[in-house]
Amino acid sequence: ATTRHFILGDFFVAEASSCVRFDRKLTLKEDYDFTCAHIERYGAVLRCNRMVLDVSHYTNAGGAVSVRSAEEEQKNIKLLRSKWPKAIRPHPTRDNDVVLAWPSKRQRHRPRPTPRRTAAGAVMKAGKVKAKR
């Protein structure tokens, strides 16, 4: 069981008796929300890394791909971040993606520090400067 990884929406198994349901307001990124809801309700999710699927996640016809756009991605990211502000953060290199990092029990009660920017636009984190890409 884990609180460190999300379950990709292309393939997952859920208990039929679970009270957790998909949030119908999300048109994309619903797998992140579903994972967060399970971790909040049950304390963890079980992720099997022994099975690898080769799927067309962003290019297949129909489903989420038919509504995917930068605007729709950002709308859903905003909703996710408002629901799970301590668990969801922007992906550091992919514009329309997020990273799920469920906080430890100790971190859940502390606000996440806001990264500071230097005059040149580099991000400072814990005293280290990371160059702007």
Side-chain angles (χ1 to χ4, degrees):
T2 183
T3 60
R4 309 275 307 154
H5 304 287
F6 89 107
I7 308 301
L8 185 64
D10 287 323
F11 180 81
F12 68 90
V13 177
E15 280 283 336
S17 62
S18 171
C19 64
V20 176
R21 297 292 180 255
F22 282 103
D23 183 341
R24 292 180 183 261
K25 291 179 280 194
L26 287 161
T27 57
L28 299 167
K29 310 262 184 260
E30 66 282 354
D31 42 1
Y32 287 92
D33 181 63
F34 201 62
T35 299
C36 287
H38 273 84
I39 294 171
E40 181 181 63
R41 175 76 171 99
Y42 300 110
V45 292
L46 181 62
R47 178 171 149 158
C48 177
N49 289 335
R50 291 187 173 261
M51 179 182 283
V52 177
L53 301 172
D54 183 13
V55 296
S56 299
H57 187 70
Y58 291 103
T59 58
N60 58 312
V65 176
S66 63
V67 297
R68 189 179 311 279
S69 67
E71 181 182 337
E72 195 67 17
E73 293 275 12
Q74 289 303 314
K75 181 184 96 174
N76 283 276
I77 288 170
K78 183 178 179 180
L79 181 56
L80 267 180
R81 292 190 71 204
S82 70
K83 285 182 76 172
W84 312 106
K86 294 184 180 179
I88 302 286
R89 68 177 193 276
H91 193 283
T93 59
R94 295 192 301 250
D95 288 339
N96 291 317
D97 215 342
V98 295
V99 174
L100 187 158
W102 195 260
S104 67
K105 289 179 183 174
R106 185 180 48 168
Q107 291 173 319
R108 279 183 226 154
H109 303 290
R110 269 189 288 164
R112 177 175 279 180
T114 304
R116 296 178 297 163
R117 295 197 177 270
T118 66
V123 176
M124 286 189 68
K125 274 181 139 178
K128 297 178 184 176
V129 176
K130 183 177 178 183
K132 183 179 176 183
R133 294 178 188 208

